[in-house]
Amino acid sequence: MKKLQVSILLSVLSAIVFAQDMTAIIKEADEKFRGESSRGEITMIIERPGWSRTVSMKNWTLGNDYSLIYITAPAKEKGQVFLKRNKEMWNWVPNIERMIKIPPSMMMQSWMGSDFTNDDLVKESQMAKDYSNKLLGEEEIDGYQCYKIELIPHDDAPVVWGKVIMWISKKELHWLKAEFYDEDGYLVNTEILTEVKMMDDREMPTRLEMIPADEEGHKTIMIFDKIEFNVDLKESFFSQQNMKRIR
């Protein structure tokens, strides 16, 4: 009886340690795109049946709580700025000299006409923090042997997804794919990450495709053209005043 109890205890402890390892893996894969701070240039391509358009931007981040995006092209949208501070988001529109606060009711609306939402930009959620995880198995993606992990949000987590399944390469810890499901278990978006390259001090995927499940011919591509990590940025950089000055 005592041996059985010890065996059960060891099994439970092993499961807890394994879950902690998965959490650490998810955290490292998620944070690979940010670092403590970052400064970069990004190209976004919105593809629709019969047409596409390209948006270029500069991006600055500080931890998980601060980000600023400056649109550099096309000409009609150049100068627009998006700011995230903690859980709040603003948009500076220079053509009408207006500062717009994005309300919670608009967080799931499309950002710049793309397949990304305002909530995707805010990125309040942290995969390792806001979700419990379970290893579903292993699969190969583009030559990388990957963990296939199911993430279920905690009851009090500030997230919009009912479930996320993500694929992370076992050796390199690259986030290579994710499927996002609503609360009813229906697939909403598939995210595919490719073109692994050295960016500053780390190797990471540099091309991200967001593909809606129910809109054939629709997808949005994000290409990370340049990123510098752990740059000298202060919280004061991420201000409404700086939104009007940034170039």
Side-chain angles (χ1 to χ4, degrees), residues 13-242:
L13 290 174
S14 177
I16 291 172
V17 171
F18 188 75
Q20 290 173 337
D21 288 345
M22 281 292 103
T23 299
I25 286 168
I26 293 165
K27 182 177 181 181
E28 184 168 341
D30 190 25
E31 291 183 348
K32 189 174 285 191
F33 293 91
R34 288 190 295 265
E36 293 182 7
S37 62
S38 71
R39 173 176 58 225
E41 297 176 8
I42 301 171
T43 300
M44 180 173 72
I45 304 167
I46 304 166
E47 295 190 353
R48 298 292 183 261
W51 63 269
S52 68
R53 78 182 185 103
T54 300
V55 179
S56 301
M57 64 195 83
K58 296 179 180 179
N59 179 50
W60 297 261
T61 70
L62 180 62
N64 294 314
D65 295 325
Y66 302 92
S67 69
L68 190 148
I69 296 172
Y70 173 77
I71 306 299
T72 58
K76 67 176 183 179
E77 282 147 348
K78 182 178 180 179
Q80 278 204 58
V81 182
F82 296 84
L83 170 69
K84 177 222 170 177
R85 285 182 62 93
N86 298 307
K87 296 181 180 180
E88 297 184 319
M89 184 174 174
W90 288 272
N91 176 203
W92 166 248
V93 186
N95 293 344
I96 58 175
E97 295 190 349
R98 186 180 176 190
M99 184 75 69
I100 301 170
K101 185 173 183 180
I102 309 297
S105 60
M106 291 180 61
M107 294 312 293
M108 289 305 293
Q109 290 192 8
S110 168
W111 181 70
M112 300 285 292
S114 73
D115 296 299
F116 293 94
T117 65
N118 290 316
D119 186 76
D120 291 326
L121 263 69
V122 171
K123 291 188 182 297
E124 282 183 39
S125 64
Q126 300 173 56
M127 292 295 184
K129 174 185 174 185
D130 294 325
Y131 293 80
S132 60
N133 60 74
K134 179 175 71 174
L135 181 64
L136 298 180
E138 298 181 7
E139 290 183 9
E140 185 177 307
I141 295 180
D142 291 339
Y144 293 94
Q145 197 63 30
C146 298
Y147 295 114
K148 181 180 179 181
I149 308 167
E150 180 185 67
L151 298 100
I152 303 295
H154 301 307
D155 291 339
D156 58 347
V159 301
V160 299
W161 304 113
K163 178 177 72 174
V164 179
I165 297 178
M166 63 191 309
W167 287 256
I168 298 174
S169 64
K170 295 175 65 176
K171 182 180 178 181
E172 304 82 2
L173 301 185
H174 296 323
W175 178 348
L176 296 177
K177 183 180 176 182
E179 294 177 346
F180 299 89
Y181 295 80
D182 65 18
E183 293 179 347
D184 296 319
Y186 290 100
L187 177 64
V188 178
N189 287 324
T190 298
E191 188 178 54
I192 298 173
L193 300 98
T194 58
E195 297 186 11
V196 174
K197 299 177 184 177
M198 283 297 298
M199 299 296 280
D200 196 16
D201 63 351
R202 68 199 65 189
E203 191 179 63
M204 57 176 277
T206 61
R207 178 188 175 96
L208 187 160
E209 295 186 13
M210 187 68 79
I211 306 169
D214 60 352
E215 295 181 278
E216 187 174 350
H218 288 230
K219 72 176 175 181
T220 298
I221 302 164
M222 283 273 196
I223 299 172
F224 300 95
D225 300 305
K226 177 183 177 182
I227 306 180
E228 298 173 89
F229 292 101
N230 303 321
V231 295
D232 185 19
L233 289 173
K234 302 290 189 295
E235 290 182 15
S236 57
F237 177 86
F238 300 88
S239 67
Q240 292 185 34
Q241 292 74 22
N242 201 34

